[in-house]
Amino acid sequence: MTDPKAAPEANRPRSALIGELCAEFVGTMVLILFGCGVVAQVVAGGDLTKPPGGLGDHDSIAWGWGLGVTLGVYVAARLSGAHINPAVTVSLAAFKGFPWSKVLPYVAAQTLGAFVGALLVRWNYTEVLGHADPGHTFKTQFVFSTLPGNGALPVSEWGALRDQIIGTAILVLLIFAVTDLLNSAPRANLGPLIIGLIVVAIGMAWGADAGYAINPARDFGPRLASYLTGYHSAWRDQYGDIYFWVPIVGPLVGGLIGAALYKVLITRYLPVAGPEVGRTPTPE
């Protein structure tokens, strides 16, 4: 989740952008395989009201998503910087010099990766989801995409939008801090692990109002996959309102807010000597 401009453009192969897009595709797909996979296992894989019948709980979900982020970042980091999140890509373009010309290709690759990952989860858990929810309703819809109040609590779409703005602002602010080489960035290639722990923490502290999508590709790609495979109410929430825009707009706005806060409150006061802020070291 850093800017991938680690080497001058003249020294990079002509297929560099293709490689970056492949990395974003695979990294985001890995994220969804673990994230949606763990939710499917917890929600549909057993009766959680009758232990030990249940296959996990809320903490399993938080850790599954966090580890999915960590592993996705490790997969993509060398080639693309492992944004695996359009909110991160847009924030890097706005505040760290990531080329705007690459934003739409990156977002498309991330969304496609999330879509394919969700299709694989949907295919693999076909029987389990069908048993738990034969009508493919909101009961198992949030295996793939988020709902206000997780489909159960009295949260409106505007409350969910507020939650997504705040949650993604936290995420991007902390990503900027962790990847800033002028700050106390983690060493020994531990950055992806720390970023995964950030997602675990957000899931445990900010998951009730809107399911902590904090990533437009993570929500839209699986939402589309579920719609095409039988979840015909996927675009709406449990109140019948059009909802899919909330986990897109909220994270994009929140990411810019988090990046701006880091830029204004932290970056301007850091020492100027040393590596360029937010860049990965140039390979020898």
Side-chain angles (χ1 to χ4, degrees), residues 11 19 33 36 42 47 57-58 95 105 108 110 113 126 128 140 167 176 186 194 205 223 243 247 257 262 271-272:
N11 295 329
L33 289 174
C36 288
V42 171
D47 185 352
D57 53 21
H58 172 269
F95 291 95
Q110 293 156 0
T126 298
V128 172
T140 56
F176 273 40
I194 302 303
R223 192 180 294 272
Y243 182 76
I257 291 173
Y262 187 81
V272 295

Side-chain angles (χ1 to χ4, degrees), residues 156-279:
S156 69
E157 60 183 341
W158 297 108
L161 180 65
R162 173 198 63 218
D163 172 89
Q164 286 299 284
I165 292 172
I166 296 172
T168 313
I170 295 170
L171 172 70
V172 172
L173 186 152
L174 293 176
I175 288 174
F176 273 40
V178 167
T179 59
D180 190 343
L181 298 182
L182 294 185
N183 208 329
S184 298
R187 304 295 179 177
N189 201 26
L190 289 176
L193 177 60
I194 302 303
I195 292 171
L197 290 175
I198 291 170
V199 173
V200 172
I202 291 173
M204 290 183 171
W206 292 86
D209 276 7
Y212 70 105
I214 56 177
N215 180 336
R218 166 266 174 274
D219 194 86
F220 183 79
R223 192 180 294 272
L224 177 60
S226 66
Y227 174 76
L228 294 175
T229 58
Y231 288 87
H232 299 302
S233 60
W235 306 114
R236 299 180 179 273
D237 60 22
Q238 64 270 31
Y239 309 115
D241 298 322
I242 297 294
Y243 182 76
F244 75 92
W245 63 274
V246 172
I248 297 174
V249 174
L252 291 175
V253 173
L256 290 172
I257 291 173
L261 288 173
Y262 187 81
K263 184 81 171 181
V264 171
L265 300 178
I266 302 296
T267 299
R268 63 190 301 186
Y269 299 111
L270 291 171
V272 295
E276 188 177 358
V277 177
R279 309 295 191 189

Side-chain angles (χ1 to χ4, degrees), residues 56-92:
D57 53 21
H58 172 269
D59 288 353
S60 302
I61 293 173
W63 281 105
W65 278 110
L67 290 171
V69 168
T70 292
L71 297 172
V73 172
Y74 273 124
V75 166
R78 184 66 182 269
L79 286 176
S80 70
H83 303 182
I84 63 175
N85 184 339
V88 173
T89 300
V90 171
S91 298
L92 287 171

Side-chain angles (χ1 to χ4, degrees), residues 3-7 9 12-13 15-27 76-84 98-99 102 105-106 109-110:
D3 191 327
K5 295 173 67 177
E9 291 293 331
R12 305 184 74 184
S15 61
L17 178 59
I18 295 176
E20 292 170 23
L21 298 181
C22 287
E24 287 296 304
F25 170 83
V26 177
R78 184 66 182 269
L79 286 176
S80 70
H83 303 182
I84 63 175
F98 182 76
K102 291 184 177 182
Y106 265 53
Q110 293 156 0

